[in-house]
Amino acid sequence: MRIRQRRSSGPRRIVAVGVAAVLAVGLTAFLVLGSGGKSTGPRALTSDEANRLAIARFRNHEVGGRAVTITVPTTAGGLVITGSIDYRAGLGYGVVQGIGRDTSSDGLIQWSATTVFVHPMVDAPAQAPPSPPETGWHQRPLRTSGSSLDSALLIAVSLGSDRPDNAELLPQNGAAWVGEDQVGDHEVDIMSGPAARGRARTAGNVRYWVDSIGTMHRVQADVDSEPQPVVIEFDAREHLPVQPVPGLVN
């Protein structure tokens, strides 16, 4: 499916510019393919590929929300967040569990683009309860730099938009085709995102696994605080409606 982009007098928002702008990125991006991924790129996007990348965030907003698994690298082993994101409310909710030695953050987590609520638990469940507990939450501001966890949360909740991005501007700002892959039963193209405005060297720091109708299946993003990328997998399971923790402000 192709959505035609209307010309406007000023530049429309570019997919992942907002995401890339909040990342503290290194000078050199590296390309990470999924298991079995093939690449003969990078090369320029075709018109069809640019259109599919341009509607990928809109697709997430269009369906309301997505079930996600977010893998966050840390020096102590890593964190995995399993939950859902409401892209119309800009709100995520799930279970966070440590990998290796990093279990101090285990529990429930809910977040917006500005605020993080954590509910520590010794034995965190595999999935978050549909209704968040009314008590036991600790609130803090979301950090926009210096934290791979907060960078991952902000990237994940930013992968939705209430309108398509400008497909014509994507290639002009560094977006490219990287390769082909398969995620579950879906054949996908891997495309690297454009540079953040005024930061040409950030082109390629965010990569998208997008299928033939513009649905996003995986995202990887480089963060300066860790050598390995953040990985966001959009699961086939149905997402749960996100009920906000009392007091959370978007």
Side-chain angles (χ1 to χ4, degrees):
M1 174 180 179
R2 181 178 297 180
I3 293 181
R4 297 180 64 86
Q5 303 295 319
R6 295 179 296 175
R7 282 186 191 274
S8 60
S9 58
R12 293 283 297 278
R13 289 178 300 172
I14 302 172
V15 62
V17 165
V19 175
V22 301
L23 295 176
V25 295
L27 295 181
T28 304
F30 57 92
L31 303 176
V32 183
L33 303 184
S35 176
K38 301 176 292 181
S39 175
T40 57
R43 61 158 171 76
L45 293 173
T46 66
S47 176
D48 174 71
E49 290 160 357
N51 273 282
R52 286 189 282 129
L53 182 57
I55 66 172
R57 292 197 305 144
F58 175 69
R59 289 286 195 207
N60 285 343
H61 185 274
E62 186 179 40
V63 298
R66 300 286 302 275
V68 296
T69 300
I70 306 169
T71 303
V72 184
T74 70
T75 55
L79 300 169
V80 175
I81 300 165
T82 306
S84 296
I85 299 177
D86 183 332
Y87 280 109
R88 295 179 182 174
L91 196 61
Y93 171 57
V95 176
V96 57
Q97 293 179 312
I99 303 172
R101 296 181 292 110
D102 198 353
T103 61
S104 61
S105 299
D106 284 11
L108 304 178
I109 189 167
Q110 187 168 128
W111 74 97
S112 69
T114 60
T115 308
V116 178
F117 277 73
V118 293
H119 187 291
M121 301 177 72
V122 175
D123 295 311
Q127 294 188 3
S131 297
E134 294 186 2
T135 60
W137 294 93
H138 303 277
Q139 179 183 0
R140 64 171 176 81
L142 184 143
R143 296 187 289 273
T144 57
S145 64
S147 167
S148 58
L149 171 60
D150 284 20
S151 292
L153 298 177
L154 185 54
I155 294 165
V157 82
S158 300
L159 293 173
S161 174
D162 62 0
R163 68 192 69 182
D165 295 283
N166 191 321
E168 294 182 1
L169 293 181
L170 294 175
Q172 297 176 26
N173 289 277
W177 181 90
V178 176
E180 298 174 340
D181 203 352
Q182 182 165 332
V183 180
D185 296 328
H186 301 278
E187 299 289 337
V188 297
D189 289 290
I190 307 170
M191 305 182 216
S192 61
R197 185 171 295 131
R199 300 175 65 191
R201 291 184 176 181
T202 61
N205 286 322
V206 184
R207 296 163 296 283
Y208 304 85
W209 277 245
V210 179
D211 69 16
S212 60
I213 61 171
T215 299
M216 198 182 292
H217 291 277
R218 177 184 297 151
V219 172
Q220 289 187 352
D222 302 335
V223 294
D224 190 49
S225 54
E226 294 294 335
Q228 298 299 316
V230 166
V231 181
I232 301 164
E233 298 274 356
F234 292 96
D235 301 334
R237 59 188 171 84
E238 185 176 358
H239 79 280
L240 293 176
V242 178
Q243 300 182 24
V245 172
L248 189 146
V249 178
N250 287 351

